[in-house]
Amino acid sequence: MSGSQMRPAAHSLVPADTTEDVRTRGAGVSRQVAVLPVGSFEQHGRFLPLATDTLVACAIAREIAAAHPVHLLPPVTISCSHEHAAWPGTVSISSVTLHAVIRDIAASLRRSGVDALVVVNGHGGNYVLGNVVQESSARGERMALFPAPEDWEAARVRAGVETSLLTDMHAGEIETSILLHAHPELIRPGYETSDFVADDRRHLLTLGMSAYTDSGVIGRPSLGSAEKGKELLASLADSFGAYVSLLTSADDSVADTGDA
């Protein structure tokens, strides 16, 4: 039996709702909010799986769904990982394709009566998601991107994460902590000795990740812990409340979004 066969598959990535569950939940709220996890399929060093960003996005979305009456969607599992193309296993789609996928999902949701969508992004390279939200909001559609950097910073402080968001760029303390909490069975040995810091990455978009790291890691995974992962997720679920309030407001204008 191969190593991959011996390792259990990640579970609970696809919601088990029935159409009646969605109907019942929608009857109890003024406006339905759908949550769409968007991950990636890219290298995360030798110790985290290629699906790490998807697993992280789904863990955040599940925590949100446990705390708020939202319509949880299955994840988008492949996105814009072109900066990781030097490593085997990484798969990408174009930003144009990802843009179209999100727009199509939002349009389909609106046709079924769910007119607010929050995209939970687990991959920093999905820059186009910000454009999707901006353009949709300008058309009068209700959409948000979560978590914002401020949400991550609040979670980092609450969880006692030692690494800054600049240093903790990829396969570092935060991602390792969340997987240690949510999917410890998927982590391979080696995160304890894989720290690598490269804070000056000004040419990343031109040169890719391989110009800054041989291992694929930029951050300090050795500082990760399940306890930090649990607190990170709890903080993000708390931060999400402001997004629910914003998207379900009867006022179509967004005059004050400072809290969100």
Side-chain angles (χ1 to χ4, degrees):
M1 183 179 289
S2 70
S4 60
Q5 290 174 317
M6 292 174 62
R7 293 182 176 274
H11 54 82
S12 301
L13 298 187
V14 179
D17 280 350
T18 67
T19 187
E20 289 304 315
D21 293 329
V22 177
R23 179 179 287 113
T24 300
R25 188 185 306 114
V29 296
S30 59
R31 177 175 278 113
Q32 290 194 72
V33 177
V35 171
L36 175 67
V38 178
S40 71
F41 200 73
E42 65 186 35
Q43 71 82 22
H44 276 77
R46 294 180 177 273
F47 53 90
L48 295 182
L50 293 161
T52 289
D53 289 344
T54 299
L55 294 167
V56 167
C58 286
I60 295 170
R62 286 197 306 271
E63 196 81 9
I64 288 169
H68 305 278
V70 298
H71 177 31
L72 182 59
L73 300 172
V76 175
T77 58
I78 296 176
S79 59
C80 303
S81 300
H82 310 283
E83 70 272 28
H84 299 277
W87 282 272
T90 297
V91 182
S92 291
I93 58 176
S94 72
S95 61
V96 173
T97 298
L98 183 57
H99 191 294
V101 167
I102 303 302
R103 283 197 61 185
D104 282 356
I105 290 172
S108 178
L109 287 166
R110 289 193 298 275
R111 287 193 295 271
S112 67
V114 181
D115 61 352
L117 174 64
V118 180
V119 179
V120 175
N121 182 33
H123 172 48
N126 288 335
Y127 310 112
V128 70
L129 294 178
N131 298 115
V132 178
V133 171
Q134 285 180 321
E135 294 164 14
S136 298
S137 298
R139 289 192 297 269
E141 299 162 10
R142 292 177 181 259
M143 190 181 295
L145 182 61
F146 183 82
E150 294 84 356
D151 301 314
W152 276 119
E153 180 61 18
R156 187 189 72 81
V157 172
R158 172 167 162 178
V161 170
E162 298 178 41
T163 320
S164 71
L165 294 180
L166 172 64
T167 297
D168 191 59
M169 188 261 185
H170 191 70
E173 186 177 1
I174 288 177
E175 289 183 322
T176 301
S177 293
I178 291 176
L179 261 65
L180 282 170
H181 169 65
H183 295 287
E185 74 280 3
L186 299 181
I187 297 183
R188 310 290 179 95
Y191 72 90
E192 306 91 342
T193 57
S194 295
D195 292 3
F196 183 78
V197 174
D199 284 351
D200 186 344
R201 305 183 296 270
R202 70 187 70 188
H203 302 300
L204 177 67
L205 297 182
T206 301
L207 300 176
M209 282 280 289
S210 60
Y212 295 96
T213 172
D214 293 330
S215 68
V217 176
I218 296 180
R220 301 183 65 189
S222 69
L223 298 175
S225 72
E227 293 75 15
K228 291 177 182 178
K230 181 179 180 180
E231 287 302 313
L232 284 163
L233 294 176
S235 177
L236 292 173
D238 288 346
S239 295
F240 191 80
Y243 291 76
V244 173
S245 297
L246 182 67
L247 292 172
T248 59
S249 169
D251 185 1
D252 287 331
S253 66
V254 183
D256 181 7
T257 60
D259 291 337

